[in-house]
Amino acid sequence: MNDIKIIAGPCVIESAELLDTVAKELVRINAELGTDIIFKASFDKANRTSIHSFRGPGLEKGLQMLADVKEKYGLRITTDIHESWQAEGAGEVCDVLQIPAFLCRQTDLLVAAAKTGKIVNIKKAQFLSGRDMRYPVEKVLDSGGKEVWLTERGNCFGYNNLVVDFRNIPDMKEIVPTVIMDCTHSVQRPSAGDGKTVGDRKFVPAMAMAAKAFGATGYFFEVHPDPDRGLSDAANMLALKDLEPLIKKILA
């Protein structure tokens, strides 16, 4: 089993059929490449640009759908939580709880995630440096958390754009041993698309390979069988068929 951590799945839970399609492919890739891909999908996209954007099925239904994926396919599961009261329920299903970048300094949220006993993956805020992440990590560990991962996803670069400073990866590895590169969110152009976030998925492979050069120990990809028709982050998600070739490059 390869020890590089890979997280992949659709941005948001759109349907049970979509989850099945992606999960089957992740199982196949795991068998082919000896990986242990963690399945990710959001039950609620609570920070969409527009109130009219699709958010997902909600906590109760969404967690049941993720539990079904775990039971049917034997995949480890992660999802993001946005409020502290969601942590307990999500912790009953998920192996890893993801803290969204915008919320990485929310003390109550971090404490609640820590108390579940699950791995807590904190995404670095777009307004923080890698070294600043020692404080969110401290909040989790001091609250009883056992294992913390950090995820790089770019920094604000003026309005409607992000830039990745890959030096954040080794900086964060001085805080925790597991640092993941979010290769798809880092190519976003936030709120640049007339009420929605857009971006350019063609840069996703380059983000992954640059992160590898800087010592990343994990990679995050939002994937979809038909990304242009995705209901969230359509412009940034990687086509599902392109996931295995990219993982092969990372592992090479």
Side-chain angles (χ1 to χ4, degrees):
M1 185 71 68
N2 195 288
D3 61 357
I4 290 189
K5 293 176 174 61
I6 299 173
I7 300 170
C11 180
V12 66
I13 299 172
E14 299 178 15
S15 66
E17 292 75 19
L18 173 64
L19 300 190
D20 282 337
T21 297
V22 175
K24 288 175 183 176
E25 177 65 1
L26 300 189
V27 169
R28 187 193 67 78
I29 294 172
N30 282 339
E32 183 75 20
L33 302 182
T35 47
D36 180 22
I37 302 173
I38 301 168
F39 183 96
K40 181 268 170 187
S42 297
F43 58 80
D44 180 19
K45 302 301 293 185
N47 60 356
R48 296 296 303 274
T49 303
S50 170
I51 196 170
H52 303 294
S53 298
F54 179 76
R55 288 182 54 167
L59 179 71
E60 184 175 353
K61 183 177 180 181
L63 287 180
Q64 183 57 60
M65 294 170 79
L66 291 173
D68 291 344
V69 168
K70 188 173 188 177
E71 181 179 358
K72 287 170 65 176
Y73 300 103
L75 292 165
R76 291 197 289 165
I77 301 291
T78 186
T79 196
D80 42 339
I81 56 174
H82 297 83
E83 300 185 57
S84 55
W85 62 268
Q86 297 173 338
E88 184 177 2
E92 293 175 359
V93 173
C94 298
D95 304 274
V96 182
L97 294 182
Q98 178 180 295
I99 306 298
F102 287 129
L103 301 177
C104 74
R105 300 202 304 187
Q106 294 294 102
T107 301
D108 290 346
L109 184 62
L110 293 166
V111 170
K115 289 181 176 178
T116 67
K118 298 304 176 77
I119 297 167
V120 180
N121 179 25
I122 311 173
K123 299 184 76 173
K124 181 186 70 61
Q126 300 91 328
F127 48 84
L128 294 179
S129 72
R131 291 178 179 174
D132 292 330
M133 294 305 292
R134 67 185 184 274
Y135 300 110
V137 170
E138 183 181 77
K139 290 179 182 181
V140 173
L141 295 179
D142 285 359
S143 302
K146 299 296 189 293
E147 184 174 353
V148 183
W149 300 350
L150 291 175
T151 295
E152 167 63 33
R153 52 98 72 243
N155 283 86
C156 297
F157 188 67
Y159 297 115
N160 307 126
N161 205 0
L162 297 173
V163 66
V164 178
D165 181 351
F166 288 95
R167 296 173 298 181
N168 284 325
I169 293 173
D171 282 348
M172 290 193 291
K173 284 180 70 178
E174 294 181 3
I175 305 169
V176 295
T178 300
V179 175
I180 294 167
M181 181 67 206
D182 185 339
C183 302
T184 44
H185 285 97
S186 59
V187 303
Q188 288 180 333
R189 295 188 184 274
S191 302
D194 190 24
K196 65 180 180 180
T197 289
V198 293
D200 196 338
R201 73 176 63 92
K202 73 181 181 183
F203 295 116
V204 169
M207 290 290 183
M209 301 313 293
K212 178 180 178 179
F214 276 86
T217 59
Y219 304 85
F220 179 108
F221 303 102
E222 287 190 335
V223 295
H224 195 287
D226 188 1
D228 286 332
R229 297 181 65 183
L231 299 182
S232 177
D233 266 354
N236 310 297
M237 282 192 288
L238 189 69
L240 184 59
K241 66 179 178 60
D242 295 330
L243 180 61
E244 183 181 12
L246 182 50
I247 293 176
K248 285 181 177 179
K249 288 184 65 176
I250 292 168
L251 297 179

